[in-house]
Amino acid sequence: MFQSLGDRLSGIFDGLTRRGNLSESDVNAALREVRRALIEADVSLEVVRGFIEQVRDRAVGAEVTKSVTPGQQVVKIVNDELVAVLGTEAAPLDLNATPPVAIMMVGLQGAGKTTATGKIAKRLKEKQNKKVLLASLDTRRPAAMEQLRVLGEQIDVDTLEIVQGQNPVEIAKRAQKEAKLGGYDVLFLDTAGRTHIDEELMAETAEIKAATNPHEVLLVADALTGQDAVNLARSFDERVSVTGIMLTRIDGDGRGGAALSMRAVTGKPIKLLGTGEKLEDLEDFHPSRVADRILG
Ligand code: GDP
């Protein structure tokens, strides 16, 4: 088990009964523990560095109120700062556009894009009564198209007819036409991933985006991505300007540091969390919950 930041800090501040303001040396000692906690939570080193400086600015000289210990005071400052970086409020998917509203799903292969598409579609249909069309643009893996079709059947949501020989842009355009003609509210464009970021993937993703001008571009990323989270988020955001991030496998062992890394480098909101393999395992992102998890 991880040691919580509170426990670590109470160790440091043990015997320190003095009240008043946090001194620079108190803060430095505490920040060493904060750094450790963030690195254990898989926040990328680059983001840890910037974050620690922000906390230092706020913590030195901060008044320790009577009701808390210095350790608790530092935990509170770190927690507030985490929430501030993660986004103080939940950021829902934005469907505020003329229908059909296109949502493009991007990310690496295996990140959970197709599953996420099914989860969100199911929620939109059941909770918001939306008429949804799903389209797989993965021309390299016929199994991916079939996977989406089966998912669609499972949740009773339409999928675009599979036509051999079209490229991803042609399929996306056909999907938009079909969505318009069929009176759909929302269209999901589930793009192909690759096992790692490469130029071909980025070029294809950018081309699809340019051709379809989706309202949302949701980057789907595995919460266990760890140190690579920064590269991943930055690469996708620079090339296709994502509108939000969905983190999957929050049910795994990780502590969600990728959320902080991705948000810090892109400034784009984490919108949704995948919390399991089942289609019901979808949650809105709550910054304070993830902050708690990162701090242990
Ligand atoms: P894609 O290649 O990005 O479309 O990824 P898939 O949607 O096919 O998902 C890859 C694997 O991850 C599948 O076995 C999914 O069941 C699994 N998966 C997706 N999301 C989650 C999640 O939130 N938690 C867990 N535990 N597994 C997930």
Side-chain angles (χ1 to χ4, degrees), residues 108-115 119 147 248-249 251 274-277:
L108 295 181
Q109 190 174 312
K113 280 183 305 301
T114 303
T115 309
K119 287 176 177 178
Q147 184 191 351
T248 61
R249 297 209 181 80
D251 51 307
T275 55
E277 290 190 63

Side-chain angles (χ1 to χ4, degrees), residues 19 189 191 193:
R19 291 287 191 251
L189 299 170
T191 66

Side-chain angles (χ1 to χ4, degrees), residues 105-108 111-113 116 218-222 232 244-248:
M105 309 293 278
V106 304
L108 295 181
K113 280 183 305 301
L218 200 59
L219 171 61
V220 180
D222 187 332
L232 179 77
I245 297 164
M246 168 159 171
L247 281 181
T248 61

Side-chain angles (χ1 to χ4, degrees), residues 1 5 15 29 38 50 56 70 89 104 162 172 174 222 225 228 232 236 254 276 289:
M1 262 318 276
L5 183 62
L38 294 175
R56 188 192 308 280
E89 286 163 28
M104 181 172 165
I162 299 175
R174 180 161 59 88
D222 187 332
T225 304
D228 288 338
L232 179 77
F236 273 98
R289 282 191 215 158

Side-chain angles (χ1 to χ4, degrees), residues 218-262:
L218 200 59
L219 171 61
V220 180
D222 187 332
L224 306 175
T225 304
Q227 297 294 322
D228 288 338
V230 158
N231 279 341
L232 179 77
R234 197 175 267 143
S235 302
F236 273 98
D237 197 37
E238 278 172 6
R239 278 307 276 278
V240 293
S241 184
V242 307
T243 56
I245 297 164
M246 168 159 171
L247 281 181
T248 61
R249 297 209 181 80
I250 288 287
D251 51 307
D253 291 336
R255 287 170 65 193
L260 186 70
S261 303
M262 296 178 115

Side-chain angles (χ1 to χ4, degrees), residues 82-119:
L82 272 178
V83 171
V85 176
L86 287 168
T88 39
E89 286 163 28
L93 267 189
D94 177 13
L95 299 180
N96 215 347
T98 313
V101 180
I103 302 178
M104 181 172 165
M105 309 293 278
V106 304
L108 295 181
Q109 190 174 312
K113 280 183 305 301
T114 303
T115 309
T117 302
K119 287 176 177 178

